[in-house]
Amino acid sequence: SAVISQKPSRDICQRGTSLTIQCQVDSQVTMMFWYRQQPGQSLTLIATANQGSEATYESGFVIDKFPISRPNLTFSTLTVSNMSPEDSSIYLCSAGQGSEAFFGQGTRLTVV
Amino acid sequence: SQQGEEDPQALSIQEGENATMNCSYKTSINNLQWYRQNSGRGLVHLILIRSNEREKHSGRLRVTLDTSKKSSSLLITASRAADTASYFCATAAGTASKLTFGTGTRLQVTL
C-alpha cells in the first residue's frame, strides 16, 4: 500500500487568506485526488490532480478557489484561496494504486 | 452529490457483539471499498470487493456485494472497543480509484 504524508496536519487561518496543503506519496502513482470533508459529513471529491496538466474539477469546485498542482508522480498541492469560515473542513489527499485508493491523515482547517 | 446511503447512521454495541453496516449505491460500479475513520482523521482502507465478487473476508471483516440490488454490507465480528470509528463505503465507476463516498456509519463499541 502507498504511504501518504500530508501537511500541515491542522491550521487555523484568518478569513481572506490562502493555505496550501502538501501531499507526498512514498511511491509513484498514476492517480491523485483531493477530497473535502465538511464537519460531520462524508467525503466529497474536489478534483483529480493530473501530472503535467490542469486538474479536473468536480461540479461545484473551481480552479480559482482550489488551485491544484501536480509536478510529478509523487507530489501534489491543494490551495484553498480567499478563505471564509465555510471552508472549515478536513481536506484529504488520496493516491490510487491499482484499484485501491489510499489516504493521507488529512488537514483539519479552521477559518476564523 | 453522495452516491451511497449507509445505514444505520449510528450503531452502538457491546464488545464481543457483531456489527453490521449496510451501503446502497445508485449506478454501476467497478468496485466497492470500505474505509474506517477514527476521530475525523485520515481514512484507513479496510477491504475492496470487485463487481464480479459476491463475498470477501479479511480477518474479522466480511463484506458482501449484491450488484442486482446495488448494495453491500460490512460485518465486523467479535467487536472490540478499538473498532469504535466511522465506517464509509465508497464506489468506483470509471476510474478505479476515483471514489464516491456513502454517508457513513458511526460505530460505538462499549466495554
Side-chain angles (χ1 to χ4, degrees):
Chain A
S1 63
V3 176
I4 301 171
S5 302
Q6 202 174 317
K7 59 181 181 181
S9 59
R10 60 176 63 224
D11 208 342
I12 301 173
C13 300
Q14 297 290 324
R15 67 180 68 200
T17 62
S18 298
L19 176 72
T20 295
I21 303 167
Q22 298 181 4
C23 178
Q24 178 74 54
V25 188
D26 69 341
S27 58
Q28 292 187 341
V29 292
T30 307
M31 310 297 294
M32 292 184 74
F33 307 93
W34 288 96
Y35 292 81
R36 180 178 73 183
Q37 185 178 28
Q38 295 176 299
Q41 303 296 313
S42 186
L43 282 76
T44 300
L45 180 64
I46 297 172
T48 302
N50 300 309
Q51 193 264 329
S53 65
E54 193 171 285
T56 305
Y57 290 84
E58 298 299 308
S59 176
F61 297 96
V62 296
I63 187 171
D64 289 347
K65 177 66 177 177
F66 297 101
I68 288 170
S69 78
R70 188 169 175 203
N72 56 51
L73 293 175
T74 64
F75 186 78
S76 178
T77 67
L78 168 74
T79 299
V80 186
S81 302
N82 188 24
M83 288 182 285
S84 68
E86 292 71 35
D87 295 319
S88 297
S89 294
I90 298 172
Y91 292 86
L92 296 110
C93 169
S94 170
Q97 203 166 52
S99 296
E100 296 183 359
F102 299 93
F103 286 79
Q105 284 298 302
T107 296
R108 183 182 293 272
L109 171 62
T110 303
V111 184
V112 296
Chain B
S1 63
Q2 298 302 133
Q3 155 135 277
E5 296 288 331
E6 291 185 53
D7 78 272
Q9 289 188 335
L11 179 61
S12 182
I13 60 173
Q14 290 192 318
E15 202 170 49
E17 294 180 336
N18 296 341
T20 300
M21 291 160 262
N22 302 295
C23 167
S24 61
Y25 56 92
K26 297 177 182 174
T27 61
S28 297
I29 62 171
N30 286 333
N31 66 69
L32 186 145
Q33 305 182 44
W34 284 90
Y35 290 85
R36 184 183 74 228
Q37 185 179 41
N38 294 84
S39 303
R41 296 309 307 275
L43 273 69
V44 175
H45 187 271
L46 295 176
I47 197 164
L48 177 151
I49 186 166
R50 303 186 191 281
S51 60
N52 61 353
E53 297 176 309
R54 292 296 167 258
E55 187 170 314
K56 206 162 183 181
H57 297 251
S58 177
R60 293 185 295 115
L61 307 179
R62 181 172 78 97
V63 169
T64 63
L65 179 63
D66 187 336
T67 53
S68 67
K69 296 181 179 178
K70 291 187 169 56
S71 68
S72 175
S73 67
L74 170 67
L75 168 67
I76 304 174
T77 60
S79 64
R80 306 166 181 169
D83 294 328
T84 295
S86 291
Y87 291 81
F88 294 93
C89 68
T91 56
T95 303
S97 53
K98 177 181 175 182
L99 301 175
T100 301
F101 279 81
T103 51
T105 295
R106 293 186 307 279
L107 174 66
Q108 176 76 44
V109 182
T110 56
L111 296 171

